[in-house]
């Protein structure tokens, strides 16, 4: 069974263009091609990156955060309560009004105290500012290193300047050591992001991040096995270009350097929109969809790699809409709004303001109802009085 599955999976019709078999891809002493077993090296490298990240955050990023004035807010802790803790862990973190009343009766507490307990408990689970700072520092360090590495590896490669060179001699394109290690660096990093995903700062686009990481890993793995390495290197450099500006924007935001943060955000927005909505479609999508057909006829690998690239492009459009919305508000308001992907911390003042709004709204409604009611009574009584006056007047006149 396993042997049959293995033979079916590695059919040359899936991975190689028509007319090319695995016999044509045999290695020699001077020529080396990508091998699927090489991808296994990315797993231990990813674990190594996780260890390096932990050491970096503790030894460098965390002390740096305190020196730069990044301070965590003092959050009031929720008082120990087994009933509420069980409900919070197993049922819901944000109970509705009916559930709050039921829990208040079970704990013999006022509803407002139960509501405040859940708010403090949710704030406790939210990541601290120093954690966000450390994560942004690590990603910035990697992205700038990966981007510079990509430029150093590709600056003398012909396909960086002439995109048709991506298909010259395909698929019999020898694997150069610099390209192999560049691929392993990027693939290992995205595997490390998958490993640390449950512990990283969770944002509102958490599901989109999972799809992005999965699509990226599948794309890189397939492109390596099918020897789409030249296209893969272009994809990685384009992605790292904008990420180099995103992370320092977050860092200065955590440091409360608003002007620097706003300037970097505008630079990041311009680089992101140009690289993901202009450069990526032309350099990668158009390249794989049209230029490749000048060399070979479409096959399964052609359709599969284009499908993965389109998934990435759809995610680019999704994030571009968020960025354009933030830029629009920045132009109108003159300051950058918070990251819309992040959850805001709740406070007791927010609750008080919300209740004041409700009271004001209820007061306005009551005042409006009372006014309309008295007006209605007055309108009903006025005709009767005027009629009486006219009658009396008419009687007097007569």
């Amino acid at each position: 069974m396993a042997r049959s599955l293995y033979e079916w999976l590695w059919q040359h019709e899936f991975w190689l263009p028509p007319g090319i078999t695995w016999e044509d891809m045999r290695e020699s002493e001077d020529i080396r091609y990508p091998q699927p077993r090489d991808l296994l090296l990315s797993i231990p490298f990813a674990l190594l990156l996780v260890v390096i990240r932990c050491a970096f955050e503790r030894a460098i990023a965390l002390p740096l955060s305190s020196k730069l004035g990044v301070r965590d807010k003092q959050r009031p802790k929720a008082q120990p309560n087994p009933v509420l803790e069980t409900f919070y862990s197993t049922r819901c973190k944000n109970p509705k009004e009916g559930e709050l009343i039921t829990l208040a009766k079970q704990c013999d507490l006022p509803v407002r105290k139960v509501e405040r307990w859940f708010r403090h408990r949710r704030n406790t689970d939210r990541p601290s500012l120093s954690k966000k700072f450390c994560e942004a520092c690590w990603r910035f360090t990697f992205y700038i290193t990966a981007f510079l590495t990509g430029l150093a590896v590709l600056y003398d490669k012909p396909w960086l300047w002439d995109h048709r060179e991506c298909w010259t001699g395909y698929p019999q394109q020898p694997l150069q050591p610099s390209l192999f290690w560049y691929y392993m660096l990027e693939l290992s990093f995205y595997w490390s992001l998958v490993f640390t995903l449950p512990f990283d700062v969770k944002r509102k686009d958490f599901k989109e991040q999972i799809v992005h990481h999965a699509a990226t890993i599948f794309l890189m793995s397939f492109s390596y096995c099918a020897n789409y390495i030249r296209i893969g290197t272009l994809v990685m450099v384009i992605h790292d270009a904008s990420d180099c500006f995103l992370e320092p924007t977050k860092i200065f935001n955590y440091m409360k350097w608003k002007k620097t943060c706003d300037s970097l955000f505008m630079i990041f927005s311009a680089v992101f929109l140009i690289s993901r909505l202009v450069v990526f479609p032309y350099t990668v999508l158009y390249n794989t969809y049209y230029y490749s057909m000048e060399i070979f006829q479409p096959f399964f690998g052609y359709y599969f790699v284009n499908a993965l690239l389109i998934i990435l492009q759809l995610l680019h459009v999704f994030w571009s809409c968020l960025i354009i919305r933030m830029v629009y508000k920045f132009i109108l308001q003159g300051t950058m709004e918070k990251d819309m992907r992040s959850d805001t911390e709740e406070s007791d003042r927010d609750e008080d303001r919300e209740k004041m709004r409700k009271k004001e709204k209820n007061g306005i409604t009551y005042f409006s109802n009372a006014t309309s009611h008295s007006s209605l009574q007055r309108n009903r009584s006025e005709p009767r009085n005027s009629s009486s006056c006219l009658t009396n007047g008419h009687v007097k006149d007569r």
Side-chain angles (χ1 to χ4, degrees):
M1 182 69 179
R3 183 179 181 84
S4 301
L5 180 62
Y6 179 84
E7 292 178 354
W8 175 84
L9 179 63
W10 294 106
Q11 295 182 68
H12 63 268
E13 290 86 359
F14 291 165
W15 301 87
L16 302 175
I20 304 294
T21 64
W22 292 117
E23 295 293 330
D24 301 321
M25 300 294 295
R26 284 190 173 182
E27 296 180 337
S28 63
E29 295 182 357
D30 301 329
I31 299 177
R32 182 172 181 263
Y33 295 115
Q35 300 296 326
R37 61 177 179 270
D38 297 340
L39 298 176
L40 297 176
L41 292 175
S42 63
I43 303 299
F45 288 159
L47 297 176
L48 180 61
L49 281 179
V50 172
V51 174
I52 295 175
R53 172 183 174 176
C54 293
F56 173 85
E57 291 184 352
R58 290 187 179 183
I60 299 177
L62 192 58
L64 184 63
S65 66
S66 60
K67 289 183 179 180
L68 294 177
V70 178
R71 298 287 185 268
D72 295 331
K73 293 182 179 180
Q74 295 295 330
R75 298 171 177 171
K77 295 183 179 180
Q79 296 297 326
N81 191 310
V83 176
L84 300 181
E85 185 66 34
T86 302
F87 187 92
Y88 181 87
S89 304
T90 59
R91 294 281 301 279
C92 177
K93 296 183 178 181
N94 196 357
K96 298 180 181 178
E97 185 175 357
E99 295 172 331
L100 288 173
I101 295 174
T102 304
L103 290 170
K105 292 179 179 178
Q106 293 177 3
C107 301
D108 193 20
L109 293 172
V111 177
R112 186 171 182 178
K113 284 191 175 181
V114 175
E115 186 178 2
R116 182 171 296 176
W117 187 95
F118 275 95
R119 182 169 55 256
H120 293 169
R121 185 67 179 81
R122 288 192 297 268
N123 287 337
T124 302
D125 284 348
R126 286 189 171 89
S128 62
L129 200 61
S130 59
K131 178 177 174 60
K132 294 180 180 179
F133 180 89
C134 293
E135 180 178 318
C137 284
W138 164 251
R139 296 198 180 198
F140 170 69
T141 302
F142 176 83
Y143 286 135
I144 193 67
T145 302
F147 180 66
L148 295 177
T149 301
L151 292 180
V153 169
L154 296 177
Y155 83 97
D156 60 343
K157 302 298 187 293
W159 63 86
L160 181 63
W161 315 105
D162 184 3
H163 303 324
R164 282 187 168 88
E165 288 293 328
C166 291
W167 310 107
T168 301
Y170 180 82
Q172 295 171 313
Q173 297 172 340
L175 176 63
Q176 302 177 17
S178 59
L179 298 179
F180 168 78
W181 289 111
Y182 181 44
Y183 241 81
M184 287 297 107
L185 176 67
E186 293 278 358
L187 186 58
S188 302
F189 175 72
Y190 281 101
W191 271 119
S192 70
L193 292 183
V194 172
F195 295 157
T196 59
L197 202 58
F199 313 102
D200 289 341
V201 177
K202 289 183 175 59
R203 305 184 186 274
K204 293 180 181 179
D205 60 346
F206 180 74
K207 295 180 180 179
E208 287 79 7
Q209 284 186 352
I210 295 176
V211 175
H212 175 269
H213 295 340
T216 303
I217 291 173
F218 276 117
L219 177 61
M220 295 180 67
S221 301
F222 181 82
S223 63
Y224 186 85
C225 294
N227 207 8
Y228 284 111
I229 289 183
R230 297 184 179 183
I231 287 293
T233 54
L234 295 179
V235 173
M236 292 185 291
V237 167
I238 291 173
H239 278 71
D240 292 338
S242 59
D243 292 334
C244 291
F245 295 97
L246 174 61
E247 301 306 327
T249 302
K250 296 179 183 179
I251 291 173
F252 285 108
N253 183 38
Y254 302 146
M255 293 168 55
K256 309 299 183 183
W257 291 23
K258 298 299 295 180
K259 292 184 179 180
T260 306
C261 175
D262 293 345
S263 301
L264 281 174
F265 173 74
M266 297 304 294
I267 296 174
F268 159 74
S269 301
V271 175
F272 185 95
L273 295 176
I274 293 174
S275 62
R276 305 293 179 92
L277 300 183
V278 179
V279 177
F280 184 85
Y282 173 72
T283 304
V284 178
L285 290 179
Y286 188 83
N287 192 359
T288 57
Y289 192 79
Y290 288 104
Y291 289 163
S292 61
M293 296 181 66
E294 298 177 357
I295 308 298
F296 55 80
Q297 294 298 317
F299 63 106
F300 174 81
Y302 167 84
Y303 294 113
F304 188 72
V305 74
N306 276 284
L308 291 175
L309 291 173
I310 290 174
I311 291 175
L312 282 182
Q313 184 60 27
L314 292 177
L315 291 170
H316 295 165
V317 173
F318 170 79
W319 281 310
S320 297
C321 292
L322 294 181
I323 292 173
I324 292 173
R325 183 180 173 185
M326 294 179 71
V327 171
Y328 177 74
K329 290 186 176 182
F330 174 80
I331 295 175
L332 292 181
Q333 300 175 0
T335 182
M336 189 184 72
E337 200 183 46
K338 66 178 180 63
D339 188 354
M340 288 182 295
R341 302 179 304 148
S342 301
D343 293 329
T344 55
E345 188 167 340
E346 303 168 275
S347 65
D348 296 337
R349 293 181 181 178
D350 296 335
E351 179 195 10
D352 295 337
R353 292 193 194 103
E354 185 65 25
K355 291 192 175 184
M356 286 297 296
R357 291 193 195 100
K358 290 182 179 179
K359 286 181 180 179
E360 291 175 0
K361 184 177 180 182
N362 293 336
I364 292 172
T365 304
Y366 174 78
F367 178 77
S368 177
N369 291 337
T371 306
S372 62
H373 179 71
S374 63
S375 176
L376 181 60
Q377 292 293 336
R378 186 171 62 253
N379 292 336
R380 286 179 179 176
S381 61
E382 283 176 356
R384 191 177 301 169
N385 295 334
S386 58
S387 176
S388 175
C389 291
L390 288 172
T391 304
N392 294 336
H394 181 65
V395 171
K396 287 180 180 180
D397 291 340
R398 292 180 68 183

